[in-house]
Each structure stands twice: as C-alpha cells, then as structure tokens.
Amino acid sequence: MAKKNQKMVEEITAMDVDFAQWYTDICKKAELVSYTSVKGCMVIRPYGYAIWENIQRILDAKFKETGHVNVNMPMFIPESLLQKEKDHVEGFAPEVAWVTYGGSEKLEERLCVRPTSETLFCDHYKDIVHSYRDLPKLYNQWVSVVRWEKTTRPFLRSREFLWQEGHTIHATAEEAIQETERMLNVYADFCEKCLAMPVVKGRKTESDKFAGAVSTYAIEALMHDGKALQAGTSHYFGDGFAKAFGIQFAGKDNKLAYPHQTSWGMTTRLIGAIIMTHGDDSGLVLPPAVAPVQAVIVPIAQHKEGVLDKANELYQALAAKGIRVKLDDSDNSPGWKFAQYEMKGIPVRIEIGPKDIESGQCVVAARFNGEKQTVALDENYAALCDTVTDLLENVIPQGMFQKALENRKNKTYVCQTMDEITQALEEKGDGFIEAMWCGDEACEDKVKEVPGDHPRHRGAPRRRRGQDRCSLPGSGSRRDFRRPSGRTPRERRELHQASGKAGEHRERNAGRFELVCDPGRPRDPHHRQPGQGIRRCNGSARARHRQEDRERAGLPRPDQGQHGPRDPRHRLR
C-alpha cells in the first residue's frame, strides 16, 4: 500500500516547479481533454464531459427551482442584429467569428457565430412581449459559443466552449436587479456547497463590466498559485437593450414602458477552477458532488478465491445506496490502480483482499487528505455504506472547502497604500489584495500598472482603523471599497423610482427647503423659487442658512456645547 502523502504519479510536473505545466499535465493524464488539429479548440473526453454533465445536472435543477425554463437559440446572428446595441457589438467585435459563405455562394449579409445571445433573445422578446401579463420571462439555454481567443488553455480559455446563459426580462428595474443578485447567489451557493470552492462576490468596475451592461456582478475564486479566476457572472442590463430593439409592453396603467433585462452564465471554465483549487501533485481532487465516479473498489490479490465475489458484494451494496461506484477487476496491479485513481481524483477508494476478508473488514481511503480507516463488514454492509456516504456528503466536501478557504486566507493581504500593495505582491506572491478604492478609473489604471495586479471587483467593505481613504497617493476620497449596497447610482435611482417613494421624498424635501429658505431672507440664486422644481443649494449655502436659523432660535453654534466651546481635538473630521 502507498504511504500517506507519497506522490504516486511521476509523469505530473510538481505545481511548485511549473504551475502551468502541472495544470496541462493533469488535463491530459487524467484524460479530461485532448488537443485537435483545430487550433484553439479541444476535445472534451468522456471523463471530462462527465464532470460537466454533473455540473449541468445540479445547476439545471437549481434554475428550475427558481422558475426558469430551458430554450435554444440559433447559432448564427445576422450582422445587422448584432449592430443594434453599439456598446455590445464594440465589446465583442475583436472576438467574433464570421460566416461569409453558404456552400459556394457568398452571403448577402455576414453571419456571426454566436459569442453570446443577448441580441437573439431581444429579437425574440419583441415578438412575444406586449403586456405586463407576458412578464417576466425566465429563460436559460445550454449551448456552445465561439470567441476567437488568441491565447488558449484547456477549459480556461478556448475558441469554442460550453456554457449556460440565462436571459430574463422583467417589468420593473427592481425585479431585474433582484434577479441579477439572486442568480449571483445561486452561483456562489453552488460553488461553495457542491464544488467546495470558496468565492468572493462583488461588482465589476466600469472598465471591466460586460459590454452593454449597466452593471456586472461576479464571483471570484483563488487558485493554488494565488491567481484569481472568475467563476461566474450576472449582469443587469437596465432597459438599454429594450430601447435598442424596440421592446415595449403595456403596463397596468395602460401606458407603454420598456422592460428591464438580465443575463448570467457559467462555463466549462469551472472544471479548470476545480483542478487549480483542489488538485495536487498526484493529480485531480474532485468534489464528490460532480465526480463521475465517487468510489472505486480495488481488489487485492484478486486471483485468490472469494476476493472478487466479496468485491462484487460491496459494489452492489454501495450502488443500491445511489453511490456512483466502480469495481476495477482488470489485470492491472493494485499499485497501478492506486496511482490511476489518485490521478483521476476519485473521492473514495475501497481496498479488499484475502486478509481483509479473514478479518471481516475493508480499508477505506479518502483522496483529498489520504487518510485511511478500517470498516467492519457487517450484515448487508451497512457500516461501509454509512461510512462512505458520510465521507461523500460531509467529511470530504467540508474538508476540501476548509483547505481551499485556508489557502485563500493565507494569500489575502490587507494594504492601505500603493507601496504596501507592491511590497505584498513582491514579498508574499500573488493573492487577493484588500484595499480602499475611491471608484475613480484613473486610480484603477494605476493599480493595473503594478506587475501581476488587476482589480477583480468591488467586494464587501471591511473597515479598519486608519483604512478609510483610497489606497492611491494623492487621493483624498473617503468612499468605501464599494458603495454601501453594492449597486450603481443608476440601479439605486431606478429602484427608488420603482418603489413609489420618490414622490413622497420630493414632498418632504420641499417642506425642508421652504423652512431653511425663510421668505424674509434674501434668496440665493440656487434656491427653489416659487413655481419651480426643487433645486438644492450648495453645501456652503446650506451650512450658512442652518447657522442663521440656529441663531434666530437662540441655539448654540454646532462647535459649542452647553459649557462653552468644544475641545478642537474632539471635533469630528
């Protein structure tokens, strides 16, 4: 038997020697992919595709639980259709593959090979959405897409890849934004509970959001080498696509309105994320939920009488419990089998031999940590089934998640200045940087100039003493790492208007401004004049008028208490 932590597959390059080659070795040796004569494309082999099928099965069930249905859109998009949304087409133009000939005849209009399907869904929506009763539409499709990437790697970046893309359309901004956030949470829950992969949720910066979107939300996972990988995205489009495609519906007030849309997707990149989050120098380490084979039975000295019969009994007992189990009764040596299934990342290995049968037990090993335990072979093999089930449903997923979470914690650095960011990356290596940012794109560009550094998204703010300013020199901003709700100003404005509270706030503000702007006082040109809409005075005018009102009421100045002036050291910044 192999010793714990012993490397069993010498053909795989060690990850600390060459991480990129380690990743490629696993993809090939574990029989996940093969290269083809089609440059930039790959063959997803049966074992790799079985992982994708399990991902698809789990996600599809989650989508249907939330009311979504599957559809299928055409692969080809006419150029005129793609051109309708300017920002969208400009964002995808460099990656688009075009069909110019049909057979031997040149086409009158070029056809784009689907890089994404927003335009196709919009073209469909305008024919089927006419009334608020037609909304919402909650669609998803499982298809392949083509993006003409220059640099490719298996699963992570290829010219053709598999994905799901959800597309929904709603009557109000509030519903669409809730859908955007709900699906981001579905993705995060799937990654953490089914893939044992901790993720960070946040909103992409303006320069990094999806082409044509108002805002893009994403989940990011940290790999073994300290690099971040975008595991899923969810986009809020507002009504921009609806206006570009002329999609309108009659609301409950019988007035025409533009609907609001969302889009969200995950790809076969998730398989690459699993490899780089959990894999080790012996090969794959698969989460049980998506492993094609959850447990493998390896007979020892199978030529001896009774060994294969007992192994078959174990197989039948585990299969009856719904466990995806394999019995390897090939003539390969046990050592070869151990190495093979280590490389393929099968979560549980069960060893049974003549001595085990005599002792009335078997050996159960967990792939993620190499720990072994002996399990009694009782009647109906109940103890074995319970042990393997507990490993697959609790011990292994939780252990893998905690191991990945520990890696992320060790590679997450809190910085307050650009010098600290540079120093952390140079001395500690790649990882997540937590730093304050004012939201200015110029500051973002400066961060991108740091070798190996790229802003992923705005995560949840974590305030620390002294850490309330942008990390870049010369910036005086005190804004949070992201806005309090994580939503853009446009999203908050649309939600506010949709809630019906905008009118109430205008009335309340009108009363406030009338009180501040005393009719007996000469009016500032910025104040609200009778018959005009509300116009806010500037900050200095508001402060001056508040002080004048205080003085007329006999109240002390803001910087004085009942017992005289405050200590200036106590004045709020």
Side-chain angles (χ1 to χ4, degrees):
M1 295 183 183
K3 295 181 180 179
K4 183 180 176 181
N5 297 327
Q6 177 182 346
K7 183 178 177 180
M8 304 183 71
V9 185
E10 297 299 332
E11 293 86 351
I12 295 178
T13 304
M15 69 169 69
D16 57 354
V17 173
D18 188 337
F19 190 84
Q21 188 59 50
W22 167 83
Y23 175 83
T24 302
D25 287 347
I26 288 182
C27 288
K28 294 167 64 178
K29 297 294 182 180
E31 299 177 342
L32 301 178
V33 299
S34 287
Y35 293 109
T36 77
S37 57
V38 184
K39 187 177 180 181
C41 297
M42 61 182 174
V43 173
I44 302 179
R45 300 184 66 180
Y47 195 67
Y49 196 81
I51 297 173
W52 176 243
E53 284 181 316
N54 287 330
I55 291 172
Q56 182 179 7
R57 172 180 52 82
I58 298 169
L59 279 176
D60 199 62
K62 290 180 178 292
F63 298 158
K64 287 173 180 174
E65 287 174 4
T66 51
H68 299 83
V69 293
N70 287 330
V71 298
N72 193 270
M73 290 288 164
M75 177 184 289
F76 303 112
I77 306 172
E79 185 173 12
S80 57
L81 200 62
L82 196 65
Q83 294 284 351
K84 283 193 174 183
E85 217 292 332
K86 182 180 178 182
D87 291 339
H88 187 65
V89 69
E90 287 180 354
F92 277 100
E95 299 177 347
V96 169
W98 294 100
V99 176
T100 56
Y101 277 83
S104 59
E105 296 181 4
K106 188 172 183 179
L107 301 179
E108 293 183 3
E109 182 180 14
R110 293 195 301 175
L111 295 176
C112 161
V113 182
R114 172 180 54 211
T116 183
S117 302
E118 279 72 20
T119 54
L120 291 170
F121 276 93
C122 287
D123 191 50
H124 178 57
Y125 289 149
K126 70 179 176 59
D127 294 331
I128 64 171
V129 174
H130 307 291
S131 164
Y132 70 91
R133 297 184 181 88
D134 299 324
L135 297 171
K137 298 292 185 189
L138 308 178
Y139 290 157
N140 175 67
Q141 67 172 356
W142 295 91
V143 294
S144 67
V145 292
V146 173
R147 297 181 184 175
W148 212 254
E149 302 282 0
K150 294 181 179 179
T151 303
T152 60
R153 291 184 70 191
F155 294 119
L156 301 179
R157 194 173 294 276
S158 57
R159 289 182 176 173
E160 182 187 15
F161 56 88
L162 304 177
W163 77 347
Q164 61 76 208
E165 51 176 319
H167 293 267
T168 68
I169 187 166
H170 306 263
T172 67
E174 183 176 18
E175 290 180 12
I177 293 171
Q178 288 175 352
E179 170 75 2
T180 306
E181 296 174 350
R182 175 176 68 166
M183 298 317 295
L184 185 76
N185 290 330
V186 167
Y187 285 162
D189 182 75
F190 168 73
C191 285
E192 296 193 341
K193 292 184 178 179
C194 299
L195 304 186
M197 184 169 65
V199 295
V200 176
K201 295 185 289 186
R203 181 167 56 83
K204 289 289 188 180
T205 64
E206 288 298 302
S207 63
D208 205 26
K209 69 182 182 181
F210 184 78
V214 173
S215 56
T216 289
Y217 296 83
I219 52 173
E220 304 276 350
L222 196 69
M223 306 296 99
H224 273 312
D225 63 346
K227 297 286 196 309
L229 186 138
Q230 181 175 284
T233 54
S234 186
H235 316 287
Y236 168 59
F237 291 129
D239 57 8
F241 277 93
K243 290 179 178 178
F245 284 82
I247 308 169
Q248 288 185 293
F249 70 97
K252 293 182 180 180
D253 57 1
N254 209 31
K255 294 181 180 179
L256 288 177
Y258 291 104
H260 296 253
Q261 293 173 244
T262 78
S263 174
W264 28 274
M266 277 185 156
T267 79
T268 40
R269 175 181 287 190
L270 283 177
I271 299 176
I274 292 170
I275 297 170
M276 294 192 294
T277 300
H278 302 302
D280 58 24
D281 287 344
S282 292
L284 277 174
V285 179
L286 290 177
V290 298
V293 178
Q294 295 176 313
V296 60
I297 301 171
V298 178
I300 310 297
Q302 66 184 42
H303 61 283
K304 294 188 176 181
E305 186 179 355
V307 173
L308 280 180
D309 291 338
K310 182 63 70 173
N312 269 300
E313 291 177 11
L314 301 185
Y315 172 85
Q316 295 297 333
L318 293 170
K321 295 295 183 180
I323 295 169
R324 298 189 291 274
V325 60
K326 174 181 179 176
L327 168 59
D328 189 345
D329 57 359
S330 68
D331 59 1
N332 290 307
S333 69
W336 183 93
K337 294 175 184 179
F338 290 170
Q340 179 73 356
Y341 299 122
E342 288 265 320
M343 182 167 56
K344 285 183 170 286
I346 294 179
V348 174
R349 185 179 72 244
I350 301 163
E351 305 166 14
I352 182 77
K355 293 183 179 179
D356 297 312
I357 296 173
E358 288 178 9
S359 303
Q361 64 185 28
C362 65
V363 177
V364 177
R367 169 67 179 91
F368 89 101
N369 62 4
E371 291 184 358
K372 294 185 178 184
Q373 57 182 306
T374 56
V375 179
L377 299 178
D378 56 4
E379 186 178 359
N380 298 323
Y381 307 109
L384 175 64
C385 291
D386 290 345
T387 298
V388 173
T389 299
D390 185 53
L391 283 171
L392 294 175
E393 294 181 357
N394 301 303
V395 177
I396 294 175
Q398 292 171 13
M400 291 176 66
F401 182 85
Q402 289 301 321
K403 190 174 181 179
L405 186 62
E406 188 67 25
N407 176 64
R408 192 181 76 182
K409 288 180 179 178
N410 293 337
K411 288 182 169 66
T412 299
Y413 319 123
V414 179
C415 301
Q416 298 184 23
T417 66
M418 276 294 294
D419 289 341
E420 289 184 9
I421 292 175
T422 303
Q423 183 179 2
L425 292 174
E426 289 178 351
E427 296 181 359
K428 301 179 181 179
D430 292 329
F432 278 152
I433 299 288
E434 286 187 4
M436 300 298 289
W437 178 46
C438 63
D440 189 344
E441 286 191 20
C443 292
E444 180 186 356
D445 291 340
K446 290 180 182 177
V447 173
K448 290 179 180 179
E449 293 174 3
V450 179
D453 199 8
H454 180 73
R456 302 303 294 187
H457 57 224
R458 296 179 174 188
R462 298 188 181 184
R463 287 187 172 277
R464 291 176 171 81
R465 184 176 180 85
Q467 189 184 1
D468 58 353
R469 292 183 181 273
C470 180
S471 300
L472 292 173
S475 173
S477 173
R478 297 168 59 85
R479 288 168 59 187
D480 281 341
F481 187 59
R482 77 168 184 182
R483 295 182 177 90
S485 67
R487 295 173 176 149
T488 64
R490 177 175 170 180
E491 287 177 327
R492 294 203 302 276
R493 183 170 63 252
E494 290 174 345
L495 281 174
H496 184 56
Q497 292 170 348
S499 69
K501 296 181 180 179
E504 298 175 15
H505 291 179
R506 280 195 293 271
E507 293 177 7
R508 188 157 64 248
N509 287 338
R512 288 175 179 172
F513 278 106
E514 286 298 335
L515 177 64
V516 172
C517 304
D518 184 359
R521 179 192 300 127
R523 289 183 177 270
D524 187 287
H526 292 290
H527 293 171
R528 186 171 73 88
Q529 301 296 332
Q532 294 181 352
I534 299 173
R535 297 185 65 187
R536 292 182 180 275
C537 54
N538 59 38
S540 60
R542 286 199 300 272
R544 186 175 70 252
H545 296 164
R546 282 197 297 269
Q547 181 56 33
E548 290 173 357
D549 290 340
R550 279 178 165 276
E551 290 175 353
R552 285 200 302 274
L555 298 174
R557 291 171 55 88
D559 59 348
Q560 293 182 358
Q562 295 180 351
H563 306 289
R566 295 173 178 166
D567 187 328
R569 292 174 296 179
H570 296 166
R571 187 174 299 176
L572 295 177
R573 295 178 61 187

